[in-house]
Amino acid sequence: PAYLTSSLGSDQDVYAYDTQLIATACGITLTAVSGVVCDRYFGIHRFVRIFMPVTIVNSFICYSVISVTDSIALVSVCQFLLPLNNFGIMGCIFWSATFVPDARIRNTLTGITYNLGMAIFVSTLFDVETFLANQSERFGAMYAGLYVVLMCCITFTAIIYAQTYHSWNLKSYHYYSGVNPHLNETEHEDISDEDIDANNVYSVM
């Protein structure tokens, strides 16, 4: 919707499509290298704390510029800057993949939340953004962008809250010998912290 309501949407099809294709290629490339950048230069928590706010600010600025400007050059620059958001998005995925120490709990939580997110938010994203973009000829693209910013803010707030106020007790949440302690009511009091191999806990993905 932001693309269609901008001046780029009314330009020559060849230039408009080429711009979109290049921006998409940039996004794919950034997604592919995000894991290496995260591991080698930042670490997951720092990567999220840096690039999630960058994603929020970048989305707000780019959608606002696309909405208010008639310059095809500026709109094109914004199209090339928006793929930077992939770092923030991938940071959320990296964090969710490592936040829960036990693989079986992690797979359940991430599987349920991922599918719910896809069903509720992603599947309706274009409908909601199209509706918002149609609310104003001048500021419709900005309204569509604010919806994306809102989703990013909610996600980032949830991550900060979970990271700050919740911790996983490996004794309580890790399964020993294939037995789920929450179903068995066995607390495994005889197992010390030294017996817990954190590397093995996180390596089961």
Side-chain angles (χ1 to χ4, degrees):
Y3 164 79
L4 293 175
T5 59
S6 69
S7 55
L8 186 61
S10 59
D11 197 54
Q12 297 179 6
D13 286 344
V14 174
Y15 177 80
Y17 284 125
D18 286 349
T19 301
Q20 190 66 26
L21 287 174
I22 294 173
T24 302
C26 292
I28 294 173
T29 303
L30 291 175
T31 300
V33 303
S34 60
V36 176
V37 174
C38 176
D39 288 339
R40 183 170 297 180
Y41 302 105
F42 295 94
I44 293 176
H45 298 154
R46 187 180 175 202
F47 190 79
V48 173
R49 289 197 303 268
I50 292 175
F51 285 103
M52 197 61 193
V54 169
T55 296
I56 294 172
V57 174
N58 185 51
S59 297
F60 177 76
I61 292 176
C62 287
Y63 277 105
S64 299
V65 172
I66 289 174
S67 178
V68 300
T69 187
D70 293 324
S71 170
I72 294 178
L74 280 177
V75 174
S76 300
V77 170
C78 290
Q79 290 290 108
F80 295 138
L81 288 176
L82 283 172
L84 290 173
N85 293 350
N86 286 24
F87 272 1
I89 295 170
M90 293 306 298
C92 295
I93 296 176
F94 298 152
W95 177 85
S96 64
T98 57
F99 176 63
V100 185
D102 190 282
R104 280 163 283 195
I105 299 175
R106 178 173 61 244
N107 291 339
T108 300
L109 289 178
T110 55
I112 292 175
T113 53
Y114 174 83
N115 284 286
L116 283 176
M118 290 291 291
I120 298 175
F121 297 107
V122 177
S123 64
T124 60
L125 177 65
F126 296 106
D127 294 326
V128 173
E129 289 205 327
T130 300
F131 171 79
L132 293 173
N134 288 335
Q135 299 307 301
S136 173
E137 183 177 351
R138 186 64 174 175
F139 299 106
M142 183 186 296
Y143 297 159
L146 288 176
Y147 179 75
V148 176
V149 170
L150 176 62
M151 295 296 102
C152 291
C153 288
I154 293 174
T155 302
F156 188 51
T157 301
I159 291 176
I160 295 300
Y161 177 84
Q163 194 65 40
T164 304
Y165 296 104
H166 183 80
S167 62
W168 292 93
N169 185 333
L170 295 185
K171 279 188 176 183
S172 298
Y173 286 96
H174 188 60
Y175 301 165
Y176 299 95
S177 303
V179 178
N180 183 345
H182 302 289
L183 300 179
N184 194 313
E185 297 182 357
T186 302
E187 297 297 334
H188 301 286
E189 296 290 347
D190 57 324
I191 300 178
S192 64
D193 292 336
E194 288 75 15
D195 295 327
I196 300 174
D197 185 353
N199 291 328
N200 289 335
V201 173
Y202 282 98
S203 65
V204 183
M205 298 298 288

